[in-house]
């Protein structure tokens, strides 16, 4: 089956389950940030496991379901859980949420993730607006879309304005993409800082590039859930992702709602 046919079959399945065929905005909820679901009104929730041929999300902190509902009067598609390369998905699978969103003619995509802070001025719990991405040691198959990243810089300015209006404090910076699954070494983080990375994570870069290829407007936000490897003596594991996300869920929701409304 060709990719357009695959996406179109899933689209038809969802419309038969009551999703409208056009939706205003989509959001990909990063690790631990699934609690945004509670802000979606009149929602329909379909576990990924019930969607024919859909990849499965295997990561703790991701519920693995697709939601449709209303947020601040807009129709929204929400992916509670995404597909990472480190779970064994091909790069092509990591961008299925973006392609499916496009089939609903969404105008904008909001992408969120949990990330480690490389920038020494960042604190756990900071929200970083992604102004640029880099993946210095990965040969991502989407590189030809790099030229469009200037659009991300422009959208970061708009996201910043909305955050300011809402009085949500934010940082801005460059997201450095790694494939994982392991956290980085102290030496890698040291090098990544020299290269200009502000936060490190295992998602988002392929999604941003695909969204730009498809002509979708993107706002992308990282929640800094830990200081990246070697900055403190703390051993990293997934638990701080959940703790930081829980502590910041209200302010994150405020910003995302503002973006759905205005961005
Ligand atoms: N490294 C990579 N990915 C991450 C991190 C990190 O420190 N924290 C959350 N996601």
């Amino acid at each position: 089956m060709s990719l357009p046919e695959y996406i179109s079959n899933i689209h038809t399945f969802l419309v038969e389950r009551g999703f409208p065929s056009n939706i205003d905005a989509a959001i990909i909820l990063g690790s631990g940030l699934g609690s945004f679901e509670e802000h979606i009104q009149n929602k329909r929730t379909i576990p990924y496991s019930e969607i024919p041929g859909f990849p499965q999300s295997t990561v703790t902190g991701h519920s693995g379901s697709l939601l449709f509902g209303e947020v601040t009067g807009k129709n929204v598609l929400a992916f509670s859980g995404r597909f990472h390369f480190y779970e064994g998905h091909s790069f092509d699978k990591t961008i299925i949420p973006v392609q499916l969103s496009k089939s609903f003619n969404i105008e904008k995509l909001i992408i969120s993730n949990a990330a480690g802070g490389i920038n020494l001025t960042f604190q756990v719990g900071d929200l970083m607006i992604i102004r640029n991405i880099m993946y210095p040691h990965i040969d991502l198959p989407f590189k030809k879309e790099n030229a469009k990243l200037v659009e991300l810089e422009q959208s970061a300015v708009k996201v910043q304005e909305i955050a300011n209006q809402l009085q949500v404090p934010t940082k801005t910076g460059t997201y450095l993409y790694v494939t994982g699954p392991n956290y980085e070494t102290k030496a890698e983080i040291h090098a990544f800082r020299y290269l200009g990375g502000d936060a490190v994570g295992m998602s988002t870069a392929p999604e941003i590039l695909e969204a730009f290829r498809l002509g979708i407007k993107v706002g992308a936000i990282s929640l800094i859930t830990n200081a990246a490897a070697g900055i403190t003596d703390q051993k990293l594991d997934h638990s701080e992702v959940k703790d930081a996300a829980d502590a910041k869920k209200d302010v994150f929701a405020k910003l995302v709602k503002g973006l759905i409304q205005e961005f």
Side-chain angles (χ1 to χ4, degrees), residues 114-116 178 183-184 200-202 225-226 228 236 241:
V178 293
Y183 281 161
E184 302 67 44
V200 57
M202 304 175 191
T225 53
N226 56 279
L236 297 179
V241 171

Side-chain angles (χ1 to χ4, degrees), residues 158-169:
K158 182 80 183 133
V159 175
Q160 181 72 68
E161 281 167 15
I162 293 166
N164 292 349
Q165 275 164 26
L166 295 169
Q167 297 184 317
V168 172

Side-chain angles (χ1 to χ4, degrees), residues 13-19 43-52 54 63-68 78 80:
F13 169 84
L14 293 169
V15 170
E16 279 165 4
R17 290 287 198 98
F19 285 39
K43 58 178 168 276
R44 269 153 227 265
T45 306
I46 305 192
Y48 291 161
S49 56
E50 287 179 20
I51 304 174
F54 213 57
S63 87
S65 37
L66 183 57
L67 295 92
F68 162 71
S80 191

Side-chain angles (χ1 to χ4, degrees), residues 89-161:
H89 298 302
S90 64
F91 283 123
D92 284 349
K93 287 235 164 77
T94 64
I95 57 173
I96 283 175
V98 183
Q99 292 173 337
L100 188 59
S101 299
K102 176 72 182 175
S103 78
F104 286 94
N105 293 318
I106 58 147
E107 287 168 16
K108 57 189 168 192
L109 173 65
I110 296 154
I111 303 182
S112 62
N113 61 54
I118 299 176
N119 186 317
L120 295 172
T121 69
F122 288 2
Q123 316 255 322
V124 169
D126 282 351
L127 292 172
M128 183 190 87
I129 300 167
I130 301 179
R131 186 175 48 203
N132 217 324
I133 56 170
M134 62 160 80
Y135 34 98
H137 55 332
I138 304 168
D139 192 17
L140 258 192
F142 311 107
K143 273 208 161 131
K144 62 179 182 303
E145 307 305 328
N146 277 357
K148 299 204 181 122
L149 282 173
V150 64
E151 292 174 39
L152 190 63
E153 294 190 28
Q154 289 156 357
S155 82
V157 172
K158 182 80 183 133
V159 175
Q160 181 72 68
E161 281 167 15

